Amino acid sequence: VKSKDILKRQLLTENELKIIELLSKQDGLIQQSIADHLELQKSNVSKIISKLCKKDLIERKQVGKIQRIFLKR
């Protein structure tokens, strides 16, 4: 996934783009890991993830008892 292409098509915010870039390097992270990597509050990451899900760019998947975040393919 080319980040600049996504930004142009979807008009992503800077933090949305950072999450996409992080997931393109390490897919299947948990929300807390994303927050830690990007030095953002978990609640803010949750809101951003919800917006990216609505834009159909990422998805939440239940893996056992843990919910992980994946790029949509």
Side-chain angles (χ1 to χ4, degrees):
V1 176
K2 292 186 179 181
S3 302
K4 290 180 183 178
D5 292 341
I6 290 174
L7 180 61
K8 288 177 188 173
R9 282 194 320 242
Q10 299 287 334
L11 297 174
L12 300 180
T13 66
E14 183 179 344
N15 284 333
E16 288 173 337
L17 186 57
K18 286 180 182 179
I19 289 175
I20 293 290
E21 288 175 341
L22 180 60
L23 291 172
S24 71
K25 295 174 187 165
Q26 192 176 354
D27 212 11
L29 292 173
I30 61 171
Q31 188 173 301
Q32 185 63 57
S33 293
I34 294 170
D36 292 344
H37 278 286
L38 301 180
E39 298 179 352
L40 296 171
Q41 291 183 349
K42 189 177 171 186
S43 60
N44 289 340
V45 170
S46 178
K47 291 174 189 172
I48 296 167
I49 288 170
S50 292
K51 288 178 184 178
L52 289 171
C53 286
K54 286 180 184 176
K55 292 179 180 184
D56 206 33
L57 295 173
I58 65 172
E59 59 187 338
R60 292 179 167 112
K61 288 185 182 175
Q62 198 74 26
V63 180
K65 293 184 178 183
I66 299 170
Q67 196 171 70
R68 296 192 174 273
I69 313 302
F70 294 90
L71 285 176
K72 281 254 183 136
R73 304 267 182 232

